[in-house]
Short mmCIF file of all heavy atoms in Angstrom, two decimals:
data_model
loop_
_atom_site.label_atom_id
_atom_site.label_comp_id
_atom_site.label_asym_id
_atom_site.label_seq_id
_atom_site.Cartn_x
_atom_site.Cartn_y
_atom_site.Cartn_z
N MET A 7 -92.22 169.74 -110.53
CA MET A 7 -91.50 168.67 -111.24
C MET A 7 -90.33 168.16 -110.44
O MET A 7 -89.39 167.61 -110.95
CB MET A 7 -91.00 169.19 -112.59
CG MET A 7 -92.12 169.40 -113.58
SD MET A 7 -91.45 169.94 -115.14
CE MET A 7 -90.60 168.42 -115.66
N ASN A 8 -90.37 168.42 -109.16
CA ASN A 8 -89.26 167.98 -108.32
C ASN A 8 -89.75 166.95 -107.31
O ASN A 8 -89.84 167.21 -106.14
CB ASN A 8 -88.66 169.18 -107.59
CG ASN A 8 -87.15 169.07 -107.53
OD1 ASN A 8 -86.60 168.07 -107.95
ND2 ASN A 8 -86.51 170.08 -107.00
N ASP A 9 -90.07 165.79 -107.79
CA ASP A 9 -90.59 164.76 -106.92
C ASP A 9 -89.50 163.75 -106.58
O ASP A 9 -89.08 162.98 -107.42
CB ASP A 9 -91.75 164.05 -107.64
CG ASP A 9 -92.44 163.07 -106.71
OD1 ASP A 9 -92.04 162.99 -105.54
OD2 ASP A 9 -93.34 162.39 -107.15
N PRO A 10 -89.02 163.77 -105.34
CA PRO A 10 -87.92 162.86 -104.96
C PRO A 10 -88.36 161.39 -105.02
O PRO A 10 -87.54 160.51 -105.21
CB PRO A 10 -87.58 163.28 -103.53
CG PRO A 10 -88.79 163.99 -103.04
CD PRO A 10 -89.43 164.62 -104.25
N SER A 11 -89.64 161.12 -104.86
CA SER A 11 -90.10 159.74 -104.89
C SER A 11 -89.97 159.14 -106.27
O SER A 11 -89.98 157.94 -106.44
CB SER A 11 -91.55 159.66 -104.42
OG SER A 11 -92.39 160.31 -105.35
N ALA A 12 -89.81 159.97 -107.28
CA ALA A 12 -89.67 159.47 -108.65
C ALA A 12 -88.34 158.77 -108.84
O ALA A 12 -88.16 157.99 -109.76
CB ALA A 12 -89.80 160.60 -109.64
N ASN A 13 -87.40 159.05 -107.95
CA ASN A 13 -86.08 158.42 -108.08
C ASN A 13 -86.06 157.00 -107.54
O ASN A 13 -85.17 156.23 -107.82
CB ASN A 13 -85.04 159.23 -107.30
CG ASN A 13 -84.42 160.30 -108.19
OD1 ASN A 13 -84.46 160.17 -109.41
ND2 ASN A 13 -83.86 161.32 -107.59
N ARG A 14 -87.07 156.67 -106.72
CA ARG A 14 -87.04 155.35 -106.08
C ARG A 14 -87.63 154.29 -107.00
O ARG A 14 -88.64 154.52 -107.64
CB ARG A 14 -87.86 155.40 -104.79
CG ARG A 14 -87.39 156.51 -103.89
CD ARG A 14 -87.96 156.33 -102.51
NE ARG A 14 -87.52 155.08 -101.91
CZ ARG A 14 -87.89 154.69 -100.69
NH1 ARG A 14 -88.68 155.43 -99.98
NH2 ARG A 14 -87.47 153.55 -100.21
N PRO A 15 -86.96 153.15 -107.05
CA PRO A 15 -87.51 152.05 -107.85
C PRO A 15 -88.79 151.52 -107.24
O PRO A 15 -88.94 151.47 -106.02
CB PRO A 15 -86.40 151.00 -107.81
CG PRO A 15 -85.61 151.31 -106.58
CD PRO A 15 -85.71 152.81 -106.40
N LYS A 16 -89.71 151.10 -108.07
CA LYS A 16 -91.00 150.65 -107.58
C LYS A 16 -91.13 149.13 -107.66
O LYS A 16 -92.21 148.60 -107.86
CB LYS A 16 -92.12 151.30 -108.38
CG LYS A 16 -92.13 152.81 -108.22
CD LYS A 16 -93.24 153.42 -109.04
CE LYS A 16 -93.29 154.93 -108.88
NZ LYS A 16 -94.35 155.53 -109.70
N THR A 17 -90.03 148.46 -107.56
CA THR A 17 -90.06 147.00 -107.74
C THR A 17 -90.58 146.30 -106.50
O THR A 17 -91.21 145.27 -106.59
CB THR A 17 -88.66 146.48 -108.06
OG1 THR A 17 -87.74 147.02 -107.12
CG2 THR A 17 -88.25 146.90 -109.46
N GLU A 18 -90.33 146.87 -105.31
CA GLU A 18 -90.74 146.18 -104.09
C GLU A 18 -91.49 147.15 -103.19
O GLU A 18 -90.97 147.68 -102.22
CB GLU A 18 -89.52 145.63 -103.36
CG GLU A 18 -88.82 144.57 -104.19
CD GLU A 18 -87.67 143.96 -103.41
OE1 GLU A 18 -87.72 144.01 -102.17
OE2 GLU A 18 -86.76 143.43 -104.04
N THR A 19 -92.72 147.38 -103.53
CA THR A 19 -93.51 148.34 -102.77
C THR A 19 -93.94 147.77 -101.42
O THR A 19 -94.14 148.50 -100.47
CB THR A 19 -94.76 148.74 -103.56
OG1 THR A 19 -95.41 147.57 -104.00
CG2 THR A 19 -94.37 149.58 -104.76
N ALA A 20 -94.08 146.45 -101.35
CA ALA A 20 -94.58 145.84 -100.13
C ALA A 20 -93.45 145.31 -99.24
O ALA A 20 -93.67 144.50 -98.37
CB ALA A 20 -95.52 144.69 -100.47
N ALA A 21 -92.23 145.77 -99.49
CA ALA A 21 -91.10 145.29 -98.70
C ALA A 21 -91.17 145.83 -97.28
O ALA A 21 -91.87 146.81 -97.01
CB ALA A 21 -89.80 145.72 -99.36
N ALA A 22 -90.43 145.20 -96.40
CA ALA A 22 -90.42 145.65 -95.02
C ALA A 22 -89.82 147.04 -94.92
O ALA A 22 -88.78 147.30 -95.49
CB ALA A 22 -89.62 144.67 -94.17
N PRO A 23 -90.47 147.92 -94.18
CA PRO A 23 -89.97 149.30 -94.07
C PRO A 23 -88.65 149.39 -93.33
O PRO A 23 -87.94 150.36 -93.46
CB PRO A 23 -91.09 150.01 -93.30
CG PRO A 23 -91.80 148.93 -92.58
CD PRO A 23 -91.68 147.70 -93.45
N GLU A 24 -88.33 148.39 -92.56
CA GLU A 24 -87.10 148.44 -91.77
C GLU A 24 -85.89 148.04 -92.61
O GLU A 24 -84.76 148.08 -92.14
CB GLU A 24 -87.22 147.50 -90.58
CG GLU A 24 -88.35 147.91 -89.66
CD GLU A 24 -88.59 146.85 -88.61
OE1 GLU A 24 -87.83 145.86 -88.60
OE2 GLU A 24 -89.53 146.99 -87.84
N GLY A 25 -86.11 147.57 -93.82
CA GLY A 25 -85.00 147.13 -94.65
C GLY A 25 -85.05 145.64 -94.87
O GLY A 25 -85.73 144.92 -94.16
N ARG A 26 -84.32 145.22 -95.85
CA ARG A 26 -84.33 143.79 -96.17
C ARG A 26 -83.46 143.02 -95.20
O ARG A 26 -82.47 143.54 -94.69
CB ARG A 26 -83.76 143.59 -97.58
CG ARG A 26 -84.53 144.34 -98.64
CD ARG A 26 -83.87 144.08 -99.95
NE ARG A 26 -84.43 144.92 -101.00
CZ ARG A 26 -83.94 144.96 -102.23
NH1 ARG A 26 -82.89 144.24 -102.53
NH2 ARG A 26 -84.49 145.71 -103.13
N PRO A 27 -83.82 141.77 -94.99
CA PRO A 27 -82.96 140.92 -94.18
C PRO A 27 -81.70 140.54 -94.94
O PRO A 27 -81.66 140.61 -96.17
CB PRO A 27 -83.83 139.69 -93.90
CG PRO A 27 -84.80 139.66 -95.05
CD PRO A 27 -85.04 141.09 -95.42
N CYS A 28 -80.71 140.13 -94.21
CA CYS A 28 -79.47 139.67 -94.82
C CYS A 28 -79.76 138.53 -95.78
O CYS A 28 -80.48 137.60 -95.45
CB CYS A 28 -78.51 139.21 -93.72
SG CYS A 28 -77.02 138.42 -94.35
N VAL A 29 -79.22 138.63 -96.99
CA VAL A 29 -79.52 137.62 -98.00
C VAL A 29 -78.83 136.30 -97.69
O VAL A 29 -79.11 135.28 -98.31
CB VAL A 29 -79.10 138.12 -99.39
CG1 VAL A 29 -79.92 139.36 -99.77
CG2 VAL A 29 -77.62 138.41 -99.45
N ILE A 30 -77.90 136.31 -96.76
CA ILE A 30 -77.18 135.09 -96.41
C ILE A 30 -77.82 134.38 -95.24
O ILE A 30 -78.15 133.20 -95.30
CB ILE A 30 -75.71 135.41 -96.09
CG1 ILE A 30 -75.04 136.04 -97.30
CG2 ILE A 30 -74.97 134.15 -95.66
CD1 ILE A 30 -75.02 135.15 -98.52
N CYS A 31 -78.01 135.08 -94.13
CA CYS A 31 -78.48 134.42 -92.92
C CYS A 31 -79.87 134.89 -92.49
O CYS A 31 -80.48 134.29 -91.62
CB CYS A 31 -77.48 134.64 -91.78
SG CYS A 31 -77.41 136.34 -91.21
N GLY A 32 -80.40 135.96 -93.11
CA GLY A 32 -81.75 136.38 -92.81
C GLY A 32 -81.87 137.34 -91.65
O GLY A 32 -82.95 137.80 -91.32
N ARG A 33 -80.76 137.67 -91.02
CA ARG A 33 -80.81 138.66 -89.94
C ARG A 33 -80.98 140.05 -90.52
O ARG A 33 -80.69 140.27 -91.69
CB ARG A 33 -79.51 138.59 -89.12
CG ARG A 33 -79.39 137.32 -88.34
CD ARG A 33 -78.11 137.35 -87.55
NE ARG A 33 -77.96 136.13 -86.74
CZ ARG A 33 -76.92 135.90 -85.95
NH1 ARG A 33 -75.93 136.76 -85.87
NH2 ARG A 33 -76.86 134.80 -85.25
N PRO A 34 -81.43 141.00 -89.70
CA PRO A 34 -81.56 142.37 -90.20
C PRO A 34 -80.23 142.90 -90.71
O PRO A 34 -79.21 142.77 -90.05
CB PRO A 34 -82.02 143.16 -88.95
CG PRO A 34 -82.66 142.13 -88.08
CD PRO A 34 -81.90 140.84 -88.32
N SER A 35 -80.27 143.46 -91.90
CA SER A 35 -79.03 143.95 -92.50
C SER A 35 -78.65 145.30 -91.92
O SER A 35 -79.50 146.07 -91.48
CB SER A 35 -79.21 144.06 -94.01
OG SER A 35 -80.26 144.95 -94.32
N LEU A 36 -77.36 145.58 -91.92
CA LEU A 36 -76.87 146.87 -91.46
C LEU A 36 -76.56 147.75 -92.66
O LEU A 36 -76.10 147.26 -93.68
CB LEU A 36 -75.61 146.68 -90.63
CG LEU A 36 -75.79 145.92 -89.33
CD1 LEU A 36 -74.46 145.80 -88.60
CD2 LEU A 36 -76.82 146.60 -88.44
N PRO A 37 -76.84 149.05 -92.51
CA PRO A 37 -76.58 149.98 -93.64
C PRO A 37 -75.15 149.88 -94.15
O PRO A 37 -74.90 150.02 -95.33
CB PRO A 37 -76.86 151.35 -93.02
CG PRO A 37 -77.81 151.07 -91.89
CD PRO A 37 -77.42 149.72 -91.35
N ALA A 38 -74.21 149.62 -93.26
CA ALA A 38 -72.80 149.57 -93.66
C ALA A 38 -72.50 148.35 -94.50
O ALA A 38 -71.52 148.33 -95.23
CB ALA A 38 -71.91 149.59 -92.42
N PHE A 39 -73.33 147.32 -94.38
CA PHE A 39 -73.04 146.06 -95.07
C PHE A 39 -74.16 145.62 -95.99
O PHE A 39 -74.18 144.49 -96.44
CB PHE A 39 -72.77 144.95 -94.04
CG PHE A 39 -71.61 145.24 -93.16
CD1 PHE A 39 -71.82 145.57 -91.82
CD2 PHE A 39 -70.32 145.18 -93.65
CE1 PHE A 39 -70.75 145.84 -90.99
CE2 PHE A 39 -69.24 145.45 -92.82
CZ PHE A 39 -69.45 145.77 -91.49
N ARG A 40 -75.13 146.50 -96.22
CA ARG A 40 -76.25 146.10 -97.07
C ARG A 40 -75.77 145.44 -98.35
O ARG A 40 -74.82 145.92 -98.97
CB ARG A 40 -77.10 147.34 -97.40
CG ARG A 40 -78.08 147.65 -96.34
CD ARG A 40 -79.01 148.73 -96.80
NE ARG A 40 -78.29 149.86 -97.39
CZ ARG A 40 -78.87 150.94 -97.86
NH1 ARG A 40 -80.16 151.07 -97.80
NH2 ARG A 40 -78.17 151.90 -98.38
N PRO A 41 -76.47 144.42 -98.81
CA PRO A 41 -77.67 143.84 -98.20
C PRO A 41 -77.35 142.75 -97.19
O PRO A 41 -78.14 141.84 -96.98
CB PRO A 41 -78.40 143.25 -99.40
CG PRO A 41 -77.29 142.78 -100.30
CD PRO A 41 -76.15 143.77 -100.08
N PHE A 42 -76.19 142.85 -96.55
CA PHE A 42 -75.79 141.83 -95.59
C PHE A 42 -75.84 142.38 -94.18
O PHE A 42 -75.96 143.58 -93.98
CB PHE A 42 -74.39 141.34 -95.91
CG PHE A 42 -74.21 140.99 -97.37
CD1 PHE A 42 -73.55 141.85 -98.22
CD2 PHE A 42 -74.74 139.81 -97.87
CE1 PHE A 42 -73.40 141.54 -99.55
CE2 PHE A 42 -74.60 139.50 -99.21
CZ PHE A 42 -73.93 140.36 -100.05
N CYS A 43 -75.68 141.48 -93.21
CA CYS A 43 -75.71 141.92 -91.81
C CYS A 43 -74.31 142.15 -91.29
O CYS A 43 -74.13 142.77 -90.24
CB CYS A 43 -76.42 140.87 -90.96
SG CYS A 43 -75.49 139.34 -90.78
N SER A 44 -73.32 141.67 -92.00
CA SER A 44 -71.95 141.79 -91.53
C SER A 44 -70.99 141.55 -92.69
O SER A 44 -71.39 141.05 -93.75
CB SER A 44 -71.67 140.78 -90.42
OG SER A 44 -71.78 139.46 -90.94
N LYS A 45 -69.74 141.87 -92.46
CA LYS A 45 -68.76 141.65 -93.52
C LYS A 45 -68.60 140.15 -93.78
O LYS A 45 -68.30 139.72 -94.89
CB LYS A 45 -67.42 142.25 -93.11
CG LYS A 45 -66.43 142.23 -94.26
CD LYS A 45 -65.15 142.95 -93.92
CE LYS A 45 -64.29 143.10 -95.18
NZ LYS A 45 -64.04 141.80 -95.83
N ARG A 46 -68.80 139.37 -92.75
CA ARG A 46 -68.67 137.93 -92.92
C ARG A 46 -69.66 137.41 -93.95
O ARG A 46 -69.31 136.63 -94.82
CB ARG A 46 -68.90 137.25 -91.58
CG ARG A 46 -68.81 135.74 -91.71
CD ARG A 46 -68.80 135.10 -90.35
NE ARG A 46 -68.73 133.64 -90.47
CZ ARG A 46 -68.29 132.85 -89.52
NH1 ARG A 46 -67.86 133.37 -88.39
NH2 ARG A 46 -68.26 131.55 -89.68
N CYS A 47 -70.90 137.84 -93.82
CA CYS A 47 -71.91 137.40 -94.78
C CYS A 47 -71.60 137.95 -96.17
O CYS A 47 -71.84 137.29 -97.17
CB CYS A 47 -73.30 137.82 -94.32
SG CYS A 47 -73.95 136.77 -93.02
N ALA A 48 -71.07 139.15 -96.23
CA ALA A 48 -70.70 139.72 -97.53
C ALA A 48 -69.60 138.87 -98.17
O ALA A 48 -69.62 138.61 -99.36
CB ALA A 48 -70.22 141.15 -97.34
N ASP A 49 -68.66 138.42 -97.35
CA ASP A 49 -67.59 137.58 -97.87
C ASP A 49 -68.13 136.23 -98.34
O ASP A 49 -67.70 135.69 -99.35
CB ASP A 49 -66.54 137.35 -96.79
CG ASP A 49 -65.70 138.60 -96.58
OD1 ASP A 49 -65.72 139.48 -97.45
OD2 ASP A 49 -65.03 138.68 -95.53
N VAL A 50 -69.08 135.71 -97.60
CA VAL A 50 -69.69 134.43 -97.99
C VAL A 50 -70.36 134.56 -99.35
O VAL A 50 -70.18 133.73 -100.24
CB VAL A 50 -70.74 133.99 -96.94
CG1 VAL A 50 -71.56 132.81 -97.47
CG2 VAL A 50 -70.05 133.63 -95.65
N ASP A 51 -71.09 135.64 -99.53
CA ASP A 51 -71.77 135.84 -100.81
C ASP A 51 -70.76 136.04 -101.93
O ASP A 51 -70.92 135.51 -103.02
CB ASP A 51 -72.68 137.07 -100.70
CG ASP A 51 -73.48 137.27 -101.98
OD1 ASP A 51 -74.41 136.49 -102.21
OD2 ASP A 51 -73.13 138.17 -102.75
N LEU A 52 -69.71 136.78 -101.64
CA LEU A 52 -68.69 137.04 -102.66
C LEU A 52 -68.02 135.74 -103.09
O LEU A 52 -67.84 135.48 -104.28
CB LEU A 52 -67.65 138.01 -102.10
CG LEU A 52 -66.53 138.35 -103.09
CD1 LEU A 52 -67.09 139.05 -104.32
CD2 LEU A 52 -65.47 139.21 -102.42
N SER A 53 -67.68 134.91 -102.13
CA SER A 53 -67.01 133.65 -102.47
C SER A 53 -67.95 132.73 -103.24
O SER A 53 -67.52 132.03 -104.15
CB SER A 53 -66.52 132.96 -101.19
OG SER A 53 -67.60 132.69 -100.33
N ARG A 54 -69.22 132.76 -102.89
CA ARG A 54 -70.19 131.97 -103.66
C ARG A 54 -70.24 132.45 -105.10
O ARG A 54 -70.22 131.66 -106.03
CB ARG A 54 -71.59 132.15 -103.04
CG ARG A 54 -71.84 131.25 -101.86
CD ARG A 54 -73.32 131.33 -101.56
NE ARG A 54 -73.64 130.76 -100.26
CZ ARG A 54 -74.85 130.82 -99.72
NH1 ARG A 54 -75.81 131.46 -100.36
NH2 ARG A 54 -75.09 130.28 -98.56
N TRP A 55 -70.32 133.74 -105.22
CA TRP A 55 -70.44 134.32 -106.56
C TRP A 55 -69.21 134.00 -107.39
O TRP A 55 -69.30 133.60 -108.54
CB TRP A 55 -70.61 135.84 -106.39
CG TRP A 55 -71.04 136.51 -107.65
CD1 TRP A 55 -72.32 136.65 -108.09
CD2 TRP A 55 -70.20 137.13 -108.62
NE1 TRP A 55 -72.31 137.33 -109.29
CE2 TRP A 55 -71.03 137.63 -109.64
CE3 TRP A 55 -68.82 137.31 -108.73
CZ2 TRP A 55 -70.54 138.30 -110.75
CZ3 TRP A 55 -68.33 137.98 -109.84
CH2 TRP A 55 -69.18 138.47 -110.83
N LEU A 56 -68.04 134.16 -106.79
CA LEU A 56 -66.81 133.86 -107.52
C LEU A 56 -66.74 132.38 -107.85
O LEU A 56 -66.29 131.98 -108.91
CB LEU A 56 -65.59 134.27 -106.69
CG LEU A 56 -65.44 135.79 -106.52
CD1 LEU A 56 -64.26 136.09 -105.60
CD2 LEU A 56 -65.22 136.46 -107.87
N GLY A 57 -67.18 131.57 -106.91
CA GLY A 57 -67.14 130.13 -107.13
C GLY A 57 -67.98 129.73 -108.33
O GLY A 57 -67.54 128.94 -109.18
N GLU A 58 -69.16 130.30 -108.44
CA GLU A 58 -70.02 129.99 -109.58
C GLU A 58 -69.38 130.46 -110.88
O GLU A 58 -69.41 129.78 -111.89
CB GLU A 58 -71.38 130.66 -109.40
CG GLU A 58 -72.21 129.96 -108.36
CD GLU A 58 -73.63 130.55 -108.33
OE1 GLU A 58 -73.99 131.20 -109.31
OE2 GLU A 58 -74.31 130.34 -107.32
N LYS A 59 -68.80 131.64 -110.80
CA LYS A 59 -68.20 132.19 -112.01
C LYS A 59 -67.05 131.31 -112.48
O LYS A 59 -66.88 131.02 -113.65
CB LYS A 59 -67.71 133.61 -111.73
CG LYS A 59 -67.30 134.35 -112.98
CD LYS A 59 -66.88 135.77 -112.63
CE LYS A 59 -66.42 136.54 -113.86
NZ LYS A 59 -67.52 136.97 -114.69
N TYR A 60 -66.24 130.88 -111.51
CA TYR A 60 -65.12 130.03 -111.88
C TYR A 60 -65.60 128.71 -112.47
O TYR A 60 -65.03 128.18 -113.41
CB TYR A 60 -64.24 129.75 -110.65
CG TYR A 60 -63.36 130.90 -110.30
CD1 TYR A 60 -63.21 131.33 -109.00
CD2 TYR A 60 -62.66 131.58 -111.30
CE1 TYR A 60 -62.39 132.39 -108.68
CE2 TYR A 60 -61.85 132.66 -111.00
CZ TYR A 60 -61.73 133.06 -109.69
OH TYR A 60 -60.93 134.13 -109.38
N ARG A 61 -66.68 128.19 -111.89
CA ARG A 61 -67.19 126.91 -112.40
C ARG A 61 -67.66 127.08 -113.84
O ARG A 61 -67.46 126.22 -114.67
CB ARG A 61 -68.36 126.44 -111.53
CG ARG A 61 -67.87 125.88 -110.22
CD ARG A 61 -69.00 125.16 -109.51
NE ARG A 61 -69.38 123.96 -110.23
CZ ARG A 61 -70.31 123.11 -109.81
NH1 ARG A 61 -70.95 123.35 -108.69
NH2 ARG A 61 -70.60 122.03 -110.48
N ILE A 62 -68.31 128.21 -114.09
CA ILE A 62 -68.81 128.44 -115.44
C ILE A 62 -67.65 128.58 -116.42
O ILE A 62 -67.66 128.01 -117.50
CB ILE A 62 -69.68 129.72 -115.47
CG1 ILE A 62 -70.95 129.47 -114.65
CG2 ILE A 62 -70.03 130.09 -116.90
CD1 ILE A 62 -71.79 130.71 -114.45
N GLU A 63 -66.63 129.32 -115.99
CA GLU A 63 -65.51 129.56 -116.91
C GLU A 63 -64.70 128.30 -117.18
O GLU A 63 -64.13 128.14 -118.24
CB GLU A 63 -64.61 130.64 -116.31
CG GLU A 63 -65.26 132.02 -116.38
CD GLU A 63 -64.33 133.08 -115.83
OE1 GLU A 63 -63.34 132.70 -115.20
OE2 GLU A 63 -64.62 134.26 -116.03
N SER A 64 -64.63 127.42 -116.17
CA SER A 64 -63.79 126.24 -116.34
C SER A 64 -64.58 125.08 -116.94
O SER A 64 -64.04 124.01 -117.16
CB SER A 64 -63.20 125.82 -114.97
OG SER A 64 -64.28 125.46 -114.11
N ASP A 65 -65.85 125.30 -117.17
CA ASP A 65 -66.65 124.19 -117.67
C ASP A 65 -66.45 123.99 -119.17
O ASP A 65 -66.61 124.92 -119.94
CB ASP A 65 -68.14 124.49 -117.40
CG ASP A 65 -68.97 123.26 -117.70
OD1 ASP A 65 -68.44 122.15 -117.56
OD2 ASP A 65 -70.13 123.44 -118.10
ZN1 ZN B 125 -75.95 137.73 -92.41
#
């Protein structure tokens, strides 16, 4: 009853084994910045996300 694979989500079985590409620019993501390739892309995503949230709240 100790199956470590049971902990893994089965949502993307056919995903690339090397990891997902950066959601911003599509380059290979780094473990330190997943799911991004760099802090810059992480900041871009964060600002986008905040921007949308602010637009929703101010609407
Ligand atoms: Zn990137």
Side-chain angles (χ1 to χ4, degrees):
M7 289 182 69
N8 219 356
D9 187 2
S11 66
N13 271 338
R14 306 194 62 180
K16 297 180 179 178
T17 49
E18 296 184 24
T19 51
E24 299 171 3
R26 301 179 189 175
C28 172
V29 297
I30 300 299
C31 69
R33 291 181 179 180
S35 60
L36 295 180
F39 300 108
R40 276 188 312 180
F42 311 102
C43 69
S44 64
K45 188 174 189 305
R46 178 170 179 157
C47 282
D49 286 343
V50 169
D51 183 74
L52 180 62
S53 59
R54 277 191 193 174
W55 192 85
L56 291 176
E58 286 187 18
K59 190 178 178 76
Y60 282 135
R61 284 192 68 177
I62 293 172
E63 287 182 347
S64 63
D65 189 29

